[in-house]
Amino acid sequence: MTELEIKDLHAQTESASILNGVNMTICSGEVHALMGPNGSGKSTLSHVLMGRPGYTVTRGEILLDGEDLVGRETWERAQRGLFLALQYPVEIEGVSASMILEASRLSQSGDSEERLQNARKEAEHLGIPVEHLSKGVNLDMSGGEKKRLETFQLASLKPSIAILDELDSGLDVDGLRIVSKRVEKLTKDEGLGVLVITHYSRLLEELKPDKVHVFVDGKIVTSGDSALADELEKDGYEKWIPSTETSVSLGGLV
Ligand code: ADP
Ligand code: MG
């Protein structure tokens, strides 16, 4: 049983404060959906949780089973069981998905032939051509192919908590179904805890959220069950955006 507890998290870049007091607790096997308007800070939250350079945590804690990750390197967070699927997966020349698996903690268990077989099976299930495993990660791949490869790494590395930033963007209908089913199965079989950032309730039809949070201006403004995701898809975020922001942006248009 793993618990990720985000407590009063504030973070900023050199020029602006982006996270303004995030509180959330994700336990093994739970799915939390984070939804919110563009620019509200959802990706920044994912980056700060994973320790991306360029952001300063000014207040709060990121506790993984009670240990504060603030100040830890990204690889240390990964080693402790945290995983991030990026909204915009980075292309890395010279480093393949197979190399990542071999370098991970998986390399300490089982024999390499067995690991190779498992990786091939996983790739086939996710509709990934086997040659994609041996070329540079994400190199010359379409948006949807990159998202499938992110899911492959998630399923193979077996982290305890995964943050999935718009895993659904760029995926075709079949890809969306396969990927969301695979993640749902990981929550059931492996007890994976998930924070899924998405704009669409479609992903949440397979990957059923225990909680849905609305994120505006760097913090959670309300939380509910899966019905909230349907409501947001129908009515948008207007109700949750402070009226001054709406009138300022409208004022800029008129
Ligand atoms: P979302 O994922 O909710 O669409 P982001 O977290 O990507 O939003 O961005 C939130 C806001 O923070 C945006 O206005 C964005 O321009 C700004 N921002 C994010 N990262 C940086 C950065 N490294 N430097 C400056 N501004 C940033
Ligand atoms: Mg984003």
Side-chain angles (χ1 to χ4, degrees):
M1 172 80 178
T2 302
E3 181 184 78
L4 176 69
E5 191 181 1
I6 305 166
K7 278 170 96 169
D8 195 29
L9 188 63
H10 289 67
Q12 61 182 49
T13 63
E14 268 181 16
S15 53
S17 159
I18 302 177
L19 301 183
N20 300 306
V22 183
N23 290 287
M24 191 189 305
T25 301
I26 302 166
C27 295
S28 294
E30 290 181 358
V31 177
H32 291 242
L34 191 69
M35 306 179 86
N38 297 134
S40 55
K42 304 179 300 297
S43 292
T44 300
L45 174 64
S46 72
H47 294 150
V48 169
L49 292 176
M50 208 64 213
R52 181 177 177 165
Y55 301 97
T56 309
V57 172
T58 52
R59 205 193 310 172
E61 293 168 307
I62 304 166
L63 301 171
L64 190 65
D65 287 335
E67 183 196 2
D68 196 356
L69 296 179
V70 175
R72 292 262 177 218
E73 297 292 334
T74 297
W75 65 266
E76 293 178 297
R77 300 179 194 216
Q79 208 170 53
R80 281 162 177 72
L82 210 56
F83 177 93
L84 169 62
L86 289 164
Q87 180 175 1
Y88 303 110
V90 187
E91 297 187 5
I92 311 171
E93 200 154 7
V95 179
S96 67
S98 302
M99 288 160 80
I100 292 175
L101 291 198
E102 280 301 305
S104 78
R105 58 195 164 133
L106 280 184
S107 62
Q108 289 145 32
S109 64
D111 69 73
S112 69
E113 186 53 35
E114 188 188 327
R115 288 199 301 275
L116 192 66
Q117 289 303 330
N118 288 341
R120 287 210 173 118
K121 252 190 256 165
E122 189 68 58
E124 193 184 336
H125 176 70
L126 290 167
I128 298 170
V130 76
E131 57 271 21
H132 281 193
L133 303 185
S134 49
K135 66 185 215 173
V137 172
N138 298 318
L139 211 60
D140 302 323
M141 292 182 201
S142 74
E145 286 172 339
K146 288 177 183 172
K147 299 294 172 141
R148 287 175 197 243
L149 197 64
E150 295 281 285
T151 311
F152 170 81
Q153 291 170 71
L154 166 66
S156 307
L157 291 170
K158 304 235 177 338
S160 29
I161 303 279
I163 307 148
L164 310 176
D165 192 358
E166 299 200 22
L167 189 63
D168 43 358
S169 71
L171 277 171
D172 59 37
V173 181
D174 294 336
L176 181 59
R177 197 178 50 243
I178 292 166
V179 159
S180 46
K181 273 195 170 152
R182 186 67 188 99
V183 180
E184 173 75 12
K185 193 167 182 322
L186 288 170
T187 67
K188 295 276 179 299
D189 296 354
E190 315 279 343
L192 177 71
V194 176
L195 174 61
V196 57
I197 298 169
T198 183
H199 286 297
Y200 305 105
S201 57
R202 181 132 202 192
L203 174 75
L204 306 177
E205 281 168 19
E206 296 286 352
L207 183 57
K208 300 202 174 53
D210 299 283
K211 272 197 170 173
V212 175
H213 308 279
V214 182
F215 203 71
V216 175
D217 197 17
K219 57 182 184 298
I220 292 170
V221 292
T222 192
S223 301
D225 60 17
S226 59
L228 181 58
D230 299 328
E231 189 192 320
L232 290 169
E233 190 152 285
K234 193 157 64 69
D235 301 335
Y237 299 111
E238 201 174 336
K239 159 168 161 194
W240 307 107
I241 299 175
S243 56
T244 48
E245 280 189 32
T246 323
S247 56
V248 167
S249 61
L250 284 177
L253 285 174
V254 185

